[in-house]
Amino acid sequence: MNRYILFLAVTFSISLLSSCTIDNETQIYKYCVYSAETFCAEGPFAKCQKNGKLSNTCPYSPGSSPSSVSSSSSEPSNSSSSQSSSSSSSQSSSSSSSQSSSSSSSQPSSSSVAVSSSSSAPAQSGIVFGAPVAYEGETYQTVVIGTQTWFQRNLNLNVQGSRCFGDDSGGDSKGNCPKYGRLYDWATAMTLPSSCNNSTSCASLIGAKHRGICPSDWHIPSPEEFETLIDFVGGSDIAGLKLKAIDGWKNKNGEDSYGFSALPGGESYHNGGFDGTGAIWWSSSEETTPYNIVLEAYCMYINGKYDYASSPLSCIKSTMISVRCLKD
């Protein structure tokens, strides 16, 4: 009898300890605190991103944590039927049918202002949003990934010589620019003379955080900054999976784990024609070659069929690809 009572007591104690462990594992906290960015994401949260700390108090001003990334767009259309998309402003069409002969035209005025972070924005669990930025008639949501803050979508600034996927005229007859952003050759993206696309090195004209066509306090990423991004999300083998949007890729969608929401913006070749199977972005650095003959600059690439991302790769400067701005 005594043995039976002892058995019941032991069983009850084990059950009680197990229950306490489960409750501890599933504890929910009100905030994720990101000390490096002096930012709090409002929950509830069971876990935070790598540099976040669970807490029920916020020592900073809490930011908004809007709810669900929506990337229902498909690959850039090359057909005559326009894709439906919403843009915060109408883009003026450019009559240029070729690359700009003088990319050194005055830099776009920076009307960039931080928009209230209470603005509605797409989100997924674990994604940390920065303040939206208004620039030249468009509003760009931003995302904090590790120590970096990125535009959540490609730049869609209509400057001379830029193109929308599928339209060589400089216009947007296929309706692709609001979703995928515009495509730029390297000199245009960097706001350098068009001769920088040719064999001349323009290294002496490149700043440490080179603004290019991005707003004030933002810049064209360096190859090293792209590598920092790739390393933070898990390395080149899975970075494509982590950075791709959850929808919009013909062959293989991603998880969009950090809100980067990469879509296959594609590229336009200097002699005409388009390829929309991948996502490619300019960096601010030229590829160094012997005899100072520089026809290429470094870029970052996400493949449409696989999970990897690559940086730095070499891209011919006259090729037109996307720009993703990074906060200074």
Side-chain angles (χ1 to χ4, degrees):
M1 183 67 175
N2 290 338
R3 289 181 180 178
Y4 179 69
I5 292 172
L6 179 61
F7 172 78
L8 289 177
V10 171
T11 302
F12 176 76
S13 299
I14 292 172
S15 175
L16 183 61
L17 287 171
S18 176
S19 173
C20 291
T21 302
I22 291 171
D23 287 343
N24 184 55
E25 287 179 353
T26 57
Q27 186 170 351
I28 301 300
Y29 292 84
K30 191 172 181 181
Y31 299 104
C32 278
V33 178
Y34 296 86
S35 300
E37 293 82 23
T38 62
F39 174 81
C40 293
E42 292 186 80
F45 294 107
K47 65 176 182 177
C48 300
Q49 287 193 55
K50 296 180 182 178
N51 61 336
K53 182 178 180 181
L54 291 166
S55 177
N56 284 319
T57 60
C58 177
Y60 317 113
S61 176
S64 65
S65 184
S67 61
S68 122
V69 171
S70 171
S71 302
S72 58
S73 50
S74 57
E75 285 194 18
S77 169
N78 225 347
S79 67
S80 58
S81 59
S82 294
Q83 297 179 337
S84 166
S85 61
S86 63
S87 172
S88 59
S89 65
S90 300
Q91 293 292 319
S92 60
S93 295
S94 166
S95 60
S96 168
S97 59
S98 61
Q99 297 175 22
S100 168
S101 60
S102 85
S103 304
S104 57
S105 55
S106 60
Q107 204 159 26
S109 64
S110 175
S111 58
S112 108
V113 270
V115 179
S116 167
S117 61
S118 62
S119 308
S120 89
Q124 271 178 221
S125 176
I127 295 174
V128 180
F129 288 88
V133 172
Y135 180 49
E136 295 295 318
E138 301 237 353
T139 299
Y140 297 88
Q141 179 60 50
T142 65
V143 287
V144 179
I145 305 176
T147 59
Q148 300 175 317
T149 301
W150 295 84
F151 274 19
Q152 195 184 21
R153 62 185 176 98
N154 295 341
L155 189 66
N156 186 25
L157 181 67
N158 189 353
V159 296
Q160 186 179 13
S162 64
R163 293 180 189 171
C164 296
F165 189 94
D167 191 332
D168 280 319
S169 71
D172 190 14
S173 61
K174 306 294 188 294
N176 285 319
C177 268
K179 295 178 182 178
Y180 304 101
R182 282 187 166 258
L183 304 175
Y184 310 89
D185 62 49
W186 186 76
T188 299
M190 296 284 287
T191 61
L192 296 175
S194 59
S195 59
C196 290
N197 281 340
N198 301 322
S199 60
T200 304
S201 173
C202 291
S204 62
L205 303 177
I206 301 172
K209 292 188 182 295
H210 194 92
R211 176 185 167 187
I213 55 176
C214 291
S216 291
D217 303 320
W218 296 77
H219 62 277
I220 307 292
S222 68
E224 294 77 16
E225 288 171 324
F226 276 130
E227 290 180 62
T228 296
L229 171 67
I230 289 173
D231 289 343
F232 182 81
V233 303
S236 59
D237 288 346
I238 62 168
L241 175 69
K242 299 297 183 181
L243 298 175
K244 284 182 186 178
I246 59 175
D247 193 15
W249 290 80
K250 183 177 180 180
N251 293 298
K252 190 169 187 180
N253 292 313
E255 295 178 354
D256 203 13
S257 304
Y258 300 90
F260 195 79
S261 303
L263 287 169
E267 57 189 307
S268 175
Y269 304 115
H270 64 283
N271 58 350
F274 296 87
D275 181 351
T277 59
I280 319 175
W281 300 274
W282 282 122
S283 85
S284 58
S285 297
E286 298 176 306
E287 182 183 21
T288 54
T289 59
Y291 311 112
N292 208 35
I293 298 174
V294 183
L295 293 172
E296 297 180 341
Y298 292 117
C299 55
M300 173 176 161
Y301 173 68
I302 291 179
N303 187 285
K305 295 182 180 180
Y306 305 103
D307 292 336
Y308 70 83
S310 301
S311 178
L313 289 182
S314 297
C315 292
I316 297 174
K317 291 178 177 179
S318 57
T319 302
M320 306 181 78
I321 58 178
S322 301
V323 166
R324 186 69 73 100
C325 298
L326 176 63
K327 190 171 178 62
D328 290 353

